[in-house]
Amino acid sequence: MVARVKKNDIVSVRAGKDRGKEGVVIAILPKKDKVMVKGIALVKKHVKARKQGDIACIKEQESFISLSKVMPMCASCNKACRVNAKSLEGGKVVRMCNRCKETF
Ligand SMILES: [Zn+2]
């Protein structure tokens, strides 16, 4: 198996309230199939002032969404693509765009 989505990938959000948006992957939880994308699935978080000089405020923060809601953007055909795995000589497995068969 090869990871469909990796950190710093640009992904397209396919479902949920941010459907149609794109963003950069900033964190992944592979075991839970969750992904955090910059600017996507923002939640408001109420932050207390913990030490002197801090200001209590409401921060907007990304939250984890299901990995199945995002698709990686292919750099060569510039579309959200399904990912195939391709084995190279030497046993290395790379990701391949299902549309243009380009590896990335
Ligand atoms: Zn492609």
Side-chain angles (χ1 to χ4, degrees), residues 74 76-77 81 97 99-102:
C74 173
S76 48
C77 59
C81 63
C97 170
R99 208 186 298 268
C100 63
K101 310 297 176 198
E102 205 61 48

Side-chain angles (χ1 to χ4, degrees), residues 65-91:
I65 57 172
S66 171
L67 201 49
S68 63
K69 286 184 181 175
V70 301
M71 280 172 99
M73 296 294 289
C74 173
S76 48
C77 59
N78 210 18
K79 285 175 185 158
C81 63
R82 294 214 298 270
V83 173
N84 284 3
K86 186 186 180 187
S87 327
L88 300 179
E89 289 170 47

Side-chain angles (χ1 to χ4, degrees), residues 12-26:
S12 165
V13 181
R14 313 306 294 171
K17 71 174 177 141
D18 290 310
R19 184 166 71 177
K21 290 185 189 170
E22 287 169 25
V24 179
V25 174
I26 47 180

Side-chain angles (χ1 to χ4, degrees), residues 28-97:
I28 299 185
L29 298 175
K31 282 178 190 158
K32 289 186 173 174
D33 285 338
K34 296 271 184 178
V35 62
M36 193 183 278
V37 184
K38 188 148 189 62
I40 302 296
L42 291 174
V43 290
K44 290 197 167 64
K45 197 169 182 188
H46 296 249
V47 184
K48 271 188 182 176
R50 296 260 177 226
K51 51 182 187 284
Q52 210 165 25
D54 275 5
I55 305 161
C57 62
I58 301 171
K59 272 187 184 164
E60 282 212 320
Q61 208 177 47
E62 287 91 357
S63 62
F64 280 102
I65 57 172
S66 171
L67 201 49
S68 63
K69 286 184 181 175
V70 301
M71 280 172 99
M73 296 294 289
C74 173
S76 48
C77 59
N78 210 18
K79 285 175 185 158
C81 63
R82 294 214 298 270
V83 173
N84 284 3
K86 186 186 180 187
S87 327
L88 300 179
E89 289 170 47
K92 205 181 171 212
V93 180
V94 292
R95 299 182 293 169
M96 181 176 74
C97 170

